[in-house]
């Protein structure tokens, strides 16, 4: 069975965020950290060198069952990447009201928080966490 390369570690998430070079991205990331902390009631943990995750879940894929974060984000150079681990098919109505964004399989890409409706983002994250907590494990 293949082992995941991205694992939870003991790096301090705030120390990581303070190293983000782009001032706006750093500021938005610190706000997003607080939003996710409030919504999840979990402490942020680093997953690999550049992802801040909240909570823990199991998911299954072709290589087996793995531990992963319930939600999280990464301040990438091109955008803020927000991880919605159950995907987006059931959230089309919310996404239509979110604002400027792009999607990957479980990734929501935004340039800056001002581009989106924060209340809609909070609802999206909350619904995703609620769904994940109701399923064990999530399958991909």
């Amino acid at each position: 069975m293949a082992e995941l390369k991205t694992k939870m570690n003991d790096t301090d998430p705030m120390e990581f965020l303070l190293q983000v070079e782009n001032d706006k991205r750093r500021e938005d990331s610190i706000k997003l950290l607080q939003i996710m902390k409030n919504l999840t009631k979990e402490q942020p943990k680093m997953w690999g060198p550049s992802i801040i995750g909240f909570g823990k879940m199991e998911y299954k894929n072709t290589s087996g069952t793995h531990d992963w974060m319930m939600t999280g984000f990464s301040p990438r150079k091109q955008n803020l990447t927000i991880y919605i681990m159950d995907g987006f098919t059931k959230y089309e109505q919310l996404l239509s009201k979110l604002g400027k964004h792009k999607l990957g399989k479980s990734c929501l890409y935004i340039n800056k928080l001002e581009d989106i409706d924060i209340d809609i983002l909070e609802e999206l994250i909350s619904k995703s966490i609620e769904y994940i907590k109701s399923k064990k494990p999530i399958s991909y």
Side-chain angles (χ1 to χ4, degrees), residues 8-139:
M8 190 182 338
N9 62 67
D10 292 331
T11 305
D12 182 330
M14 188 56 76
E15 282 184 28
F16 165 70
L17 290 180
L18 293 175
Q19 302 303 313
V20 172
E21 290 181 18
N22 179 300
D23 292 340
K24 182 64 179 148
R25 182 88 64 235
R26 184 182 339 80
E27 178 184 314
D28 282 354
S29 295
I30 291 169
K31 287 179 187 175
L32 190 54
L33 179 128
Q34 193 58 53
I35 289 169
M36 288 187 168
K37 191 174 173 182
N38 291 342
L39 293 175
T40 65
K41 310 291 188 243
E42 299 277 352
Q43 291 300 311
K45 299 286 184 182
M46 291 299 299
W47 288 76
S50 62
I51 299 173
I52 298 174
F54 296 81
K56 203 169 169 186
M57 64 177 228
E58 284 188 330
Y59 83 92
K60 280 186 181 181
N61 65 10
T62 56
S63 66
T65 301
H66 309 279
D67 287 333
W68 197 247
M69 66 192 141
M70 286 192 301
T71 192
F73 71 97
S74 183
R76 308 278 186 207
K77 285 188 180 187
Q78 308 89 332
N79 50 46
L80 272 173
T81 302
I82 300 169
Y83 298 97
I84 304 295
M85 300 315 301
D86 57 327
F88 298 103
T89 55
K90 59 184 140 320
Y91 304 120
E92 290 177 7
Q93 187 176 24
L94 282 174
L95 291 168
S96 71
K97 298 185 259 179
L98 180 63
K100 187 178 174 182
H101 69 278
K102 293 181 183 177
L103 298 177
K105 182 176 181 180
S106 293
C107 299
L108 173 67
Y109 304 105
I110 62 171
N111 289 325
K112 54 188 181 294
L113 291 180
E114 287 89 24
D115 289 345
I116 62 166
D117 183 321
I118 298 295
D119 292 335
I120 298 295
L121 177 64
E122 289 178 352
E123 187 175 351
L124 177 65
I125 293 167
S126 294
K127 287 183 179 291
S128 174
I129 292 166
E130 183 180 310
Y131 178 80
I132 287 168
K133 286 181 175 180
S134 75
K135 305 288 181 194
K136 298 207 189 248
I138 296 283
S139 293

